[in-house]
Each structure stands twice: as C-alpha cells, then as structure tokens.
Amino acid sequence: MTEELQKQVDTLKKSLDREKAARKMAETLLEQRSREIYESNQSLKNQASEAKLQQLQLSFLTGLSADIWNADSVNATVQVYLRRASEFLNNAQCIFFQLKQANSNAEWKLASVMELEQQKTAKASRIDVLEQDDIDALVIRDLVQAFDFKTILDAVEESAGESTLLPMNSISSITTKFEYAYLVPLFSINNNRGFACFVYSDSTKIDILKLQSVESSRSMLAVAVQRQMATVNLGNRFKELEKTHKKLDDAQRQLIQSERMASVGQLAAGVAHEINNPIGFVISNYETLTEYVEVLNRLLDKVPKVEKDSSVMKEITDIWQEEDVDFIMSDVNSLLTASKGGLKRVQDIVAGLKSFSHSDASSYTPISLNDCIEDSIQLVWNELKYNCELVKNLAEVSTIKANFGQIEQVIVNMLINAKHAMDEGGTITISTVNAENQVTLTISDTGSGISEKNQEKLFTPFFTTKPVGVGTGLGLSISYGILQDHGAEISVESQLGVGTTFKIVFPAYSE
C-alpha cells in the first residue's frame, strides 16, 4: 500500500469515528429528550388526574354542604350524607348504624340501622361511576348486626377518632363476599354514637384519596346533626314551655275568678241590701195596687146593674167618694212607674253582678271606661254610702279596648281598698281624662296612706296591710296582672295620714 493510499484510509477512518461519535451523541440527546418529554407527559397526566379529583372533591363537598343545610331532620341529614358519599365513592354499598350505651360502664349495643334510600343513580350524569354488584339491603343489615362493635370502637379510638378502613374478617365472624369496611364516625352525642359504613367486595375499587375526602367531610355532618338535635331539643323545650304557659294561664284565670268570687262574697250583703230596698217598695206598691183593684172591681161589678136599678148609681157614687177613686186613678200610674223603676234597679244590679262574676277573659271589645266606673260604683255603693263621700269627675273620654268585667274588677278592688283605708270615713274621688291618645283613670282617698316601704310591695301576691280575715292579699296583684294584659300602666302616690292616689293609664282605642 502506497503512502498516499494509507493517508486516505486513515482519513476515512477518522471520518467514520467522528460520525460514530456524532451519532452516539445524537442518540444520547434524543434519549434524554424523549425521557424529558415522557416525564413531562406523566406530570401533566398526574396534574390532570389531581385536578379531576379536586374537581370531584369540590363538587362532593359543596353538594354535601348544600344538601345537609336543606335537610329538615337528623334522618334526612344522614340520608343526604350516605347518598353523596356513596356516589363520590363510585356507588359504594353503604349503611348507617347507631350504637347506644345505657350508662358509662355498660356495653355498647346496636340501637338502629338505616339503609340508603334510592341507592341507584343515573349513571349518565356521573363521572367515573363504577358501580359495584347490587346487594340486597337486608344482606348489609344482617352484616352490621353481626359486627363486633368493641373491635370497631377500639379501632376508631386507635385512629384518634378518625375514619378507619378495616378488613371485614376482623370485625365480623360471618362469611360474606365483602372484603373491607370503611367506618366513618359521624357523631357522638351523650351515650349515642353514629357510624356510616361503606363496604367493598373488591379492594381494587378502594380509592384512598377519595376515602380521605370522605373523612374530611364528616365534621360537616357532625355539625349538621348537632344542629338538628339542637333544633329538636329546642322544639321539645318550646312545647314544654307552651304547656307550662297554658297551665300558668289557666291558673291565672282561676286565680282571677277566685278573687272575683271573693269580692262578690264580700259585696254580697251590700248587694242584697241594694236589691232588698227596691224589692221592698215594689211589694208595698203591689199591696196598695191590690187594694185599688178591689175597689175598682166593686165599682165595675155594679156598672151593669145601673140600667135595671137606679139606686145602684147612688151606691157607685158612695163608693167613689168613700174610697177616693179620683186619687186611686192618679196614684196608679205613680205606683206603676215607681215599681218599674225599682225593678229596673234590681235588673241593673243583677246584670252588673253577672257581668262582674262571669266575664270572658278572652273577650276584648271597645268599652266606655265611664260606664265601667258607674257599674262598679253601683256594685259597691252599699259599702260606701254610709261613711264615704264619693266625688265623680268623669270627663268625656275615648273608648278603650278591654274586657269590661276585668276592668270592673280592678275598679271594684280599688274602691273597696279605699273604703277600708278610711275607718272613720272620708272622701273618695274618681276622675277620668283624655291625654295624648291615652285615657287616665285616677282614684284618690283621704285614708291612712301607705308607707314607702309597703308601696314597694303593694303588687306582690299575698301582701296586705289589712287585718287578718280582711282581704286575701291578691287584689292588687291580680289587678296589676289584668292591667298589664290590657297594656295599661298603674302607679301609686301615698302619704301617711293624708291619703293615697292610684293612677291608671289606658291606651285609647282607635279603629
């Protein structure tokens, strides 16, 4: 081989070595680039998968929050949770069970079981729904009843009260196609604990990330259950308060009626006297009218005989003059008018007494306060007229919306108290006046007065300054309650040895 040919061979060899080196470098760069692209694609896939999971988690949590908020009972709240969680976990079979403990040392026992209602959902509207085999709800119910609850509670305690995934054979002795149970402690209230249980027959369908999302959502349900329980307790408490209020209302009505009857009993003698006076002169007038009728009958018996016997006319004239028939004829009308007035007086007293003793506590109608005062005075007049001077200053005032009988009871009580405060007699002044959409009633006496210390206790039940056997100590207390129910205000001003003034302000009635 010539030297020149050797040079050519060497040149070609070097060129070939450079090409090999370049190719090897290109392959290395290509491999490195391919690896970067692959890793980038894998990263994008992971990010897309995470984003998709986050979207599902967000949809699950927001939907669960909205549904739980709208649930109207504990059962409805649990059903919402089971449905939402089951769908999120690819339609995992689920059930709710509640454990109850009789006392702190007793064994936990199964109290109730609740299956998911309408477990199947429209798959077309779901993403990545991989439904497990359809299982009869009774099978899962039987499975729960065979659970070892002590083992479950110990496992939950070991996981610091959080949800836990357990092999089925560790918590149940019966043979079942389910391999795992995911237990979610939902609430622990007093001696009651609630759990949601999701069972799996295929471990490959267990998505740990989704299970973690379900775990994080249980606090939402716990708050909702506590809210529902609080609502139920509040409703029960409200019903109890309603019953108590009704009992108190009934007791108050009975107390008002009892005090009214006590007042009627106290007024009975005076009312009887007030009725007896008009009845007495009505009877007297009746006896006189009977005598008049006898005289007129004698005359009428002789009138038909006048035409047959002229001497009968003289007998009629003698009777007319002897019995003074002219006076009888003029007196008859007076007697009838007086008797009618007396009977009307009796009728008014009886009607007032009936209204006073049988008023309907629920009847509030527009009334005249002045008419109520007049009726009240009529009821107690026999108590007052012998040693009390009554002064009335009743102005034309607006009507008030009230129960006539109850306001009458208040006024009667005030007048009797005023009379009792004036053992040696005195003056009672009762007045009414209009002022700025209000009607003011004032009752004053010139009695012994009330000390400042006792004024503070005037409206306290059973407090009285009267001697034993006089009054019940309930009159002013009941009157205060009646006036409060009518939206009225009562105040008192008193000075020992001078007298007392009660001022009652009613809202004026306007249509």
Side-chain angles (χ1 to χ4, degrees):
M1 181 180 298
T2 62
E3 184 177 349
E4 184 177 351
L5 182 61
Q6 184 64 41
K7 288 181 180 179
Q8 290 178 355
V9 170
D10 292 339
T11 301
L12 291 172
K13 187 176 180 180
K14 288 179 183 180
S15 177
L16 181 61
D17 289 342
R18 285 196 300 271
E19 287 179 5
K20 285 181 179 180
R23 181 178 293 178
K24 187 175 181 179
M25 184 179 294
E27 289 175 352
T28 302
L29 291 174
L30 180 61
E31 183 181 355
Q32 183 179 352
R33 184 59 179 165
S34 297
R35 188 180 297 110
E36 290 176 356
I37 292 173
Y38 174 77
E39 290 175 354
S40 177
N41 286 338
Q42 287 299 111
S43 176
L44 288 174
K45 285 182 180 179
N46 291 338
Q47 290 176 9
S49 179
E50 290 177 4
K52 190 175 184 180
L53 178 59
Q54 289 175 358
Q55 182 182 4
L56 288 173
Q57 289 173 334
L58 182 61
S59 176
F60 165 62
L61 293 174
T62 54
L64 179 63
S65 176
D67 288 350
I68 283 178
W69 181 258
N70 292 325
D72 57 0
S73 68
V74 174
N75 284 353
T77 302
V78 172
Q79 281 291 330
V80 164
Y81 185 83
L82 292 180
R83 177 174 59 80
R84 283 285 183 177
S86 174
E87 292 172 357
F88 182 65
L89 297 175
N90 302 333
N91 279 0
Q93 300 289 338
C94 61
I95 198 167
F96 167 83
F97 63 91
Q98 182 177 344
L99 303 181
K100 190 174 181 64
Q101 190 181 39
N103 56 64
S104 58
N105 298 320
E107 181 182 357
W108 287 92
K109 294 185 178 180
L110 185 64
S112 64
V113 179
M114 181 168 60
E115 299 91 354
L116 173 61
E117 298 174 359
Q118 297 179 348
Q119 217 169 339
K120 294 183 179 180
T121 59
K123 302 178 190 177
S125 63
R126 304 294 172 188
I127 300 176
D128 289 345
V129 174
L130 301 175
E131 187 175 12
Q132 298 185 37
D133 296 336
D134 290 334
I135 301 298
D136 189 347
L138 292 177
V139 175
I140 304 179
R141 176 183 282 269
D142 293 340
L143 181 62
V144 169
Q145 291 174 345
F147 277 173
D148 183 347
F149 299 117
K150 185 178 184 306
T151 301
I152 291 174
L153 292 172
D154 289 343
V156 171
E157 186 175 350
E158 288 177 7
S159 63
E162 295 183 353
S163 303
T164 182
L165 182 66
L166 298 173
M168 188 63 72
N169 57 16
S170 70
I171 59 174
S172 177
S173 58
I174 67 173
T175 303
T176 174
K177 68 179 295 181
F178 297 112
E179 296 181 3
Y180 290 92
Y182 186 61
L183 295 159
V184 184
L186 298 181
F187 61 83
S188 178
I189 301 174
N190 298 328
N191 291 332
N192 293 274
R193 299 189 71 172
F195 291 84
C197 177
F198 301 90
V199 294
Y200 291 89
S201 57
D202 184 355
S203 60
T204 62
K205 295 180 179 178
I206 299 175
D207 189 329
I208 298 300
L209 292 177
K210 286 188 174 182
L211 293 184
Q212 290 174 351
S213 298
V214 171
E215 156 62 22
S216 64
S217 70
R218 68 187 180 90
S219 60
M220 191 186 304
L221 181 81
V223 171
V225 169
Q226 290 176 356
R227 177 173 61 87
Q228 292 291 349
M229 293 293 289
T231 301
V232 171
N233 291 336
L234 186 62
N236 293 336
R237 182 59 178 159
F238 180 72
K239 289 178 181 177
E240 291 176 5
L241 288 174
E242 275 189 327
K243 291 179 181 178
T244 302
H245 180 268
K246 187 178 183 303
K247 290 179 181 178
L248 289 174
D249 194 43
D250 292 342
Q252 184 183 29
R253 283 199 295 269
Q254 292 173 5
L255 192 61
I256 290 174
Q257 186 65 15
S258 297
E259 174 64 18
R260 186 181 291 124
M261 291 299 99
S263 298
V264 169
Q266 188 175 355
L267 297 172
V271 170
H273 182 73
E274 287 297 304
I275 291 176
N276 189 57
N277 284 342
I279 290 294
F281 73 73
V282 167
I283 292 174
S284 176
N285 290 347
Y286 174 79
E287 292 173 352
T288 302
L289 284 170
T290 302
E291 294 174 0
Y292 288 170
V293 169
E294 289 176 357
V295 172
L296 294 175
N297 283 337
R298 286 168 57 195
L299 289 173
L300 291 173
D301 287 342
K302 295 183 179 297
V303 170
K305 301 175 183 178
V306 171
E307 293 181 357
K308 298 178 181 180
D309 187 352
S310 59
S311 63
V312 173
M313 191 63 190
K314 184 177 181 306
E315 294 177 7
I316 291 174
T317 303
D318 292 341
I319 294 172
W320 192 285
Q321 293 175 349
E322 181 183 345
E323 299 294 343
D324 197 359
V325 175
D326 289 330
F327 173 75
I328 289 175
M329 292 176 65
S330 63
D331 194 36
V332 164
N333 287 334
S334 298
L335 291 176
L336 290 173
T337 301
S339 297
K340 183 178 180 181
L343 293 175
K344 182 66 169 61
R345 170 69 174 159
V346 172
Q347 184 185 42
D348 291 343
I349 293 173
V350 171
L353 198 59
K354 182 179 178 181
S355 171
F356 178 77
S357 59
H358 295 96
S359 67
D360 180 7
S362 63
S363 174
Y364 284 65
T365 57
I367 67 169
S368 166
L369 182 58
N370 289 345
D371 289 348
C372 194
I373 293 170
E374 294 290 358
D375 282 9
S376 302
I377 292 172
Q378 182 173 266
L379 282 173
V380 300
W381 180 241
N382 196 69
E383 292 279 327
L384 305 178
K385 64 183 180 182
Y386 295 108
N387 66 341
C388 296
E389 178 187 358
L390 183 65
V391 178
K392 294 188 293 183
N393 298 317
L394 306 181
E396 290 187 9
V397 294
S398 304
T399 58
I400 61 173
K401 191 170 186 179
N403 180 289
F404 193 95
Q406 288 188 356
I407 300 303
E408 192 175 37
Q409 181 177 355
V410 171
I411 297 172
V412 165
N413 183 265
M414 296 289 184
L415 292 174
I416 291 175
N417 285 348
K419 185 259 182 185
H420 287 166
M422 300 185 297
D423 293 333
E424 299 179 359
T427 301
I428 298 175
T429 303
I430 184 165
S431 59
T432 55
V433 64
N434 263 342
E436 296 181 359
N437 298 322
Q438 294 177 327
V439 179
T440 302
L441 166 64
T442 305
I443 301 176
S444 303
D445 65 65
T446 57
S448 57
I450 306 168
S451 67
E452 289 186 8
K453 179 181 178 181
N454 286 339
Q455 285 181 40
E456 297 176 358
K457 298 180 284 185
L458 272 183
F459 304 109
T460 303
F462 304 108
F463 173 77
T464 181
T465 58
K466 299 175 185 177
V468 176
V470 180
T472 61
L474 290 172
L476 282 176
S477 172
I478 290 174
S479 296
Y480 182 79
I482 290 173
L483 293 173
Q484 275 196 322
D485 290 342
H486 284 76
E489 297 179 358
I490 181 171
S491 58
V492 59
E493 293 181 2
S494 186
Q495 187 176 347
L496 288 174
V498 176
T500 302
T501 297
F502 283 92
K503 182 179 180 181
I504 304 172
V505 180
F506 294 93
Y509 173 72
S510 58
E511 296 183 0

